[in-house]
């Protein structure tokens, strides 16, 4: 048994040390390059679009980014393990629908402040419980059946969407109390509260993934599932935790959704699903799992939001923005595929140049 264990890549002390170094540092130069691209985009749009570099644009930016940011955080957790959660939008929408339904029925029309708070608390508890159940069931199916997460979460997405559309007949539910809207739309020193919430969740998820035994196990599973098993990691338990954490982040996204739209629907934010994957890959997350940082994801989200805001102020269609985001995803994946071969290609070109000289 000992001989088999040491034959795995991560069981070797040097390989494990290299893995931990890469885990803590991320992709070399990735954040610097992303930050440079972000600065270049801000400067370009500031020169091309009058009024782009203004406080109003910044506040709009901070109010629009949190929903996509939270959904992307829900996606990055399974991506780190080499999986995927295609049910994040469906989970978020159903959670929001349930919370609105509970608030509609638990808060009387002429209720006072205490009754409103009790109804909101009940709605929050119901939404949190729903996301917890969805995450546990999804994680258990993936962990114990061995079926690829794409298939499990695609089925979960279809099931949740189908139930949500059937129960609501495809209609949006409104009736969020004014107290919730006022709190959600408030600001702290000029910074929207929803943006503060996103930052706090990002910090928590980042610390969990990078500083805890659970987070290290997630990266090891994404890097090499078999080696993780030989390292005495309970991979089934970790995978259940991964999809539970992803669904719990969806609960926070549902709260932000209620604040932004003041209603809930099974159709909201459906176009964000692939954008969350784009943001993660652009932020340096390995599409095959194992490596990636929340910091890189946040910079990538800022880049996508700057592109969207700039195009909107140009008066261009949102569909064009989606097309450019899709093209960006293709370019990033291709660049990641050819980057390991660049040194060899540079050496060949250098030799040819020397030979021609």
């Amino acid at each position: 048994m000992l001989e088999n264990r040491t034959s795995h890549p991560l069981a070797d002390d040097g390989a494990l040390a290299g893995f931990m170094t890469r885990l803590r540092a991320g992709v070399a130069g990735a954040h610097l390059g992303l930050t440079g691209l972000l600065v270049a985009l801000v400067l370009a749009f500031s020169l091309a679009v009058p009024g782009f570099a203004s406080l109003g644009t910044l506040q709009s930016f901070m109010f629009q980014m949190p929903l996509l940011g939270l959904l992307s955080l829900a996606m990055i957790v399974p991506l780190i393990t080499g999986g995927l959660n295609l049910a994040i939008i469906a989970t978020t929408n159903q959670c929001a629908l349930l919370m609105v339904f509970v608030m509609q029925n638990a808060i009387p029309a002429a209720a006072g402040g205490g009754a409103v708070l009790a109804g909101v608390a009940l709605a929050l508890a119901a939404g949190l419980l729903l996301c917890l159940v969805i995450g546990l069931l999804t994680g258990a199916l993936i962990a114990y059946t061995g079926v690829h997460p794409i298939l499990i979460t695609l089925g979960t997405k279809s099931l949740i969407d189908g139930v949500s559309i059937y129960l609501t007949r495809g209609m949006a539910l409104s009736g969020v109390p004014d107290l919730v809207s006022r709190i959600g739309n408030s600001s702290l020193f000029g910074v929207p509260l929803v943006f503060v919430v996103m930052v706090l969740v990002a910090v928590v998820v980042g610390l969990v993934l990078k500083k805890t035994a659970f987070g290290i196990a997630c990266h090891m599973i994404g890097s090499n599932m078999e080696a993780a098993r030989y390292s005495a990691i309970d991979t089934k338990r970790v995978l259940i935790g991964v999809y539970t954490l992803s669904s719990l982040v969806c609960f926070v996204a549902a709260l932000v959704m209620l604040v932004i739209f003041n209603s809930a629907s099974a159709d909201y934010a459906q176009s964000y699903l692939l954008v969350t994957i784009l943001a993660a890959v652009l932020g340096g997350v390995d599409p095959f799992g194992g490596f990636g940082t929340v910091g890189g994801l946040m910079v990538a989200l800022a880049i996508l939001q700057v592109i969207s805001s700039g195009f909107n102020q140009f008066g261009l269609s949102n569909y064009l923005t989606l097309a450019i985001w899709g093209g960006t995803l293709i370019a990033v994946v291709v660049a990641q595929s050819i980057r390991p071969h660049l040194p060899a290609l540079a050496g060949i070109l250098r030799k040819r140049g020397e030979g021609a000289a």
Side-chain angles (χ1 to χ4, degrees), residues 10 15-26 210 216 220 291:
L10 293 184
L16 182 58
F19 170 81
M20 294 302 296
T21 300
R22 185 181 173 191
L23 169 60
R24 293 189 176 98
K210 209 167 186 179
I216 301 300
M220 292 183 70
F291 303 98

Side-chain angles (χ1 to χ4, degrees), residues 23-289:
L23 169 60
R24 293 189 176 98
V27 179
H31 291 187
L32 183 61
L34 285 173
T35 304
L37 177 58
L38 176 60
V39 172
L41 285 171
V42 171
L43 291 175
F45 280 119
S46 299
L47 294 174
V49 181
F52 182 83
S54 64
L55 180 60
T57 299
L58 179 60
Q59 288 180 327
S60 175
F61 174 93
M62 290 190 292
F63 190 77
Q64 294 174 10
M65 183 177 167
L67 179 57
L68 177 58
L70 289 166
L71 292 172
S72 299
L73 287 168
M75 181 63 79
I76 194 177
V77 181
L79 276 175
I80 291 293
T81 64
L84 204 64
N85 189 355
L86 298 178
I88 56 171
I89 308 296
T91 301
T92 300
N93 283 331
Q94 189 167 91
C95 177
L97 285 167
L98 176 62
M99 288 191 290
V100 173
F101 176 79
V102 172
M103 285 187 282
Q104 284 179 338
N105 291 273
I107 302 175
V116 171
L117 288 176
V120 170
L122 181 61
L124 294 180
L128 181 61
L129 179 61
L130 174 66
C131 289
L132 182 62
V133 170
I134 291 175
L136 287 171
L137 291 178
T138 302
L141 285 171
I142 292 170
Y144 287 98
T145 64
V147 178
H148 197 282
I150 289 180
L151 298 177
I152 294 292
T153 58
L154 180 61
T156 307
K157 173 186 182 303
S158 300
L159 175 63
I160 296 172
D161 277 338
V163 171
S164 297
I165 293 171
Y166 173 76
L167 293 177
T168 63
R169 300 299 187 268
M171 304 295 290
L173 296 184
S174 57
V176 179
D178 291 338
L179 176 63
V180 175
S181 299
R182 286 199 303 270
I183 294 175
N185 287 286
S186 61
S187 300
L188 293 175
F189 305 104
V191 179
L193 183 60
V194 290
F195 186 81
V196 175
V197 169
M198 183 200 70
V199 171
L200 291 176
V201 173
V203 170
V204 171
V205 172
L207 290 175
V208 168
L209 290 177
K210 209 167 186 179
K211 300 295 184 181
T212 66
F214 169 78
I216 301 300
C218 290
H219 287 83
M220 292 183 70
I221 288 173
S223 180
N224 191 318
M225 176 74 82
E226 288 302 316
R229 290 196 183 102
Y230 273 80
S231 301
I233 293 175
D234 188 346
T235 56
K236 291 183 173 59
R237 183 177 179 181
V238 172
L239 286 175
I240 292 174
V242 163
Y243 288 89
T244 301
L245 177 59
S246 177
S247 290
L248 291 178
V249 176
C250 290
F251 166 71
V252 184
L255 294 176
V256 172
M257 182 178 287
L258 289 181
V259 170
I260 293 175
F261 299 116
N262 203 34
S263 61
S265 170
D267 292 330
Y268 287 165
Q270 290 291 347
S271 63
Y272 280 178
L273 181 59
L274 295 181
V275 181
T276 60
I277 302 174
L278 164 60
V281 175
L282 181 61
V285 176
D286 190 329
F288 300 103

